[in-house]
Amino acid sequence: MKTLLILGGSGFVGKSIINSFLENRLIKFKIDKLIILSRNTNYLKREFKIKVNKKIIFKNIDLFNAKKLPDCNYIIHAAEKNLASATNKKIFSKYFNLTKKICNYFKKYEKIKFLYLSSGAVYGKNDIKQKLKETAPLNYNNLTGIKREYAKYKVKSERYLKNNFDKNKLIIARLFSFTGQHLAKNKNYAVGNFFDDVEKSRKIKIKSTNPNYIYRSYLDSEDLVEFLMQLIVKRNITNNNIFNIGSDKAISIMQLAKKISKISNISISYNKKSTSKLIDYYVPNIDKIKKNYQIKETIKLENSLFKILKSIKKNRVN
């Protein structure tokens, strides 16, 4: 049996993996021990109601100052500043240096597999209705502000890892958009924002000026964990070890709002005079991971959204 180490477990991905582990969905990957490194372990223990569990170990460690890290078989590097809470570009230099430190620490280990979580933001803004392949140009210069700096940091981190880590032990996952019960609310992500409105019993507010022309796709958190575990545990050697992770089923922001409005019975608020038709198509082509790992989405978007709504209602009762 194997040990999985999560660097930075307090975000959406980390929580989703913890949830899958506690529900025994990682057993088929022969993962029987999970180590979570985070500066917020007490918060995680409370959220998941964990008091004593020898199979899941929480270590309250500041990775920036850590001198020694736990032994393991697999590593998922999910430690980074949430884009929505980043205030200036200097923060990304700090996290790039952290990636370098972690890379240089673990690259000496012979029998370890390292999964780095990058982002679809590296492709920049896509103004045509075409799904983004891993071979698409990296064009973060057409982004602006913090988003541009974030994408630049991801590209820089990817390149450093590819140049300094054994390609047979390294996998890079470019993450797109997701849903799930641990999705942050009110953090500039459409699903989270809309359900934040639902939770507070106010109209679902669409902030964008072209909601019919902004397209996203949403992979449920259970499928996300499945995809990531397939990548790191059942690693297939390819000429390029970079994979897009997400759903390839596009939906406009307006369509998404309508779906959430329908299941929650809460109306939508938006600027009906908006005339912008600028396309923003942030949808991955995932043919590569489907072909290499014979996997597919198992949870429909409607079902995923309903699970979030059910969780909100349960929290209200409690």
Side-chain angles (χ1 to χ4, degrees):
M1 300 299 277
K2 305 293 184 179
T3 298
L4 172 63
L5 173 64
I6 309 296
L7 305 180
S10 59
F12 173 70
V13 176
K15 289 179 182 178
S16 298
I17 294 172
I18 293 170
N19 194 72
S20 289
F21 183 83
L22 292 173
E23 294 183 356
N24 296 316
R25 288 197 295 272
L26 302 191
I27 290 295
K28 65 180 179 179
F29 298 107
K30 298 183 178 179
I31 302 294
D32 71 334
K33 187 176 181 181
L34 189 65
I35 304 176
I36 307 295
L37 302 192
S38 172
R39 288 175 290 185
N40 301 298
T41 55
N42 289 332
Y43 155 72
L44 289 169
K45 289 176 184 177
R46 287 195 302 272
E47 179 162 344
F48 287 96
K49 299 178 180 178
I50 296 173
K51 293 183 178 179
V52 178
N53 188 329
K54 294 181 180 179
K55 293 296 184 180
I56 180 167
I57 298 171
F58 293 91
K59 290 186 176 289
N60 204 68
I61 291 178
D62 183 343
L63 287 169
F64 292 99
N65 300 316
K67 303 296 183 186
K68 182 175 173 58
L69 297 171
D71 293 333
C72 59
N73 304 101
Y74 308 109
I75 303 163
I76 296 181
H77 180 15
E80 69 167 31
K81 188 71 173 177
N82 187 293
L83 175 60
S85 60
T87 54
N88 61 69
K89 65 181 182 181
K90 290 182 180 179
I91 193 71
F92 300 123
S93 295
K94 181 179 178 181
Y95 277 87
F96 171 69
N97 288 332
L98 176 61
T99 298
K100 285 174 60 178
K101 174 182 176 179
I102 292 169
C103 169
N104 293 328
Y105 183 91
F106 282 110
K107 70 180 183 181
K108 60 188 176 184
Y109 289 84
E110 292 294 328
K111 297 180 180 180
I112 208 162
K113 292 181 181 178
F114 188 97
L115 175 60
Y116 176 68
L117 302 187
S118 186
S119 169
V122 299
Y123 300 112
K125 193 171 183 179
N126 184 23
D127 58 3
I128 57 174
K129 281 189 177 183
Q130 182 173 311
K131 295 173 185 177
L132 293 158
K133 292 184 178 181
E134 289 87 349
T135 53
L138 305 186
N139 188 24
Y140 56 80
N141 284 318
N142 66 9
L143 297 172
T144 58
I146 290 295
K147 286 185 178 180
R148 180 182 181 278
E149 297 303 325
Y150 173 76
K152 183 179 177 181
Y153 142 67
K154 285 298 186 184
V155 170
K156 192 176 177 182
S157 296
E158 283 188 16
R159 288 173 178 167
Y160 184 86
L161 288 167
K162 289 183 71 175
N163 290 332
N164 292 277
F165 213 95
D166 185 342
K167 69 177 182 179
N168 294 318
K169 298 185 289 184
L170 173 69
I171 310 101
I172 295 172
R174 291 175 178 163
L175 306 188
F176 279 73
S177 303
F178 305 96
T179 66
Q181 60 180 319
H182 299 294
L183 191 72
K185 296 183 180 67
N186 197 24
K187 291 289 185 181
N188 293 330
Y189 304 117
V191 173
N193 284 347
F194 294 162
F195 274 111
D196 186 54
D197 290 333
V198 170
E199 191 169 26
K200 294 173 180 174
S201 301
R202 62 193 181 202
K203 287 186 177 181
I204 296 169
K205 186 175 182 179
I206 301 176
K207 299 176 183 178
S208 57
T209 58
N210 53 335
N212 289 303
Y213 298 91
I214 297 178
Y215 297 88
R216 298 292 183 264
S217 60
Y218 298 94
L219 187 71
D220 184 82
S221 56
E222 288 185 27
D223 282 336
L224 166 62
V225 175
E226 176 75 16
F227 278 35
L228 294 179
M229 295 310 301
Q230 289 278 357
L231 276 181
I232 196 169
V233 174
K234 300 183 177 181
R235 179 174 180 353
N236 291 333
I237 303 300
T238 65
N239 291 330
N240 190 333
N241 53 354
I242 297 176
F243 294 85
N244 286 337
I245 302 293
S247 169
D248 59 359
K249 298 174 177 61
I251 181 172
S252 74
I253 294 298
M254 179 61 78
Q255 290 171 321
L256 174 67
K258 287 181 177 179
K259 282 182 181 292
I260 295 175
S261 173
K262 183 177 180 180
I263 65 172
S264 65
N265 198 31
I266 292 180
S267 60
I268 299 170
S269 170
Y270 68 99
N271 183 6
K272 295 180 175 61
K273 296 181 179 179
S274 174
T275 58
S276 175
K277 295 184 179 181
L278 293 175
I279 293 174
D280 180 353
Y281 201 80
Y282 187 66
V283 180
N285 180 308
I286 56 172
D287 289 348
K288 183 178 175 182
I289 192 169
K290 284 182 177 179
K291 179 181 178 181
N292 279 270
Y293 294 91
Q294 289 77 53
I295 56 177
K296 61 182 180 180
E297 297 175 61
T298 63
I299 301 173
K300 293 182 178 179
L301 176 59
E302 289 79 2
N303 294 338
S304 187
L305 296 176
F306 185 77
K307 283 195 301 180
I308 299 174
L309 180 62
K310 186 177 179 180
S311 177
I312 289 174
K313 290 181 177 179
K314 182 179 179 181
N315 290 335
R316 282 176 178 169
V317 173
N318 294 335

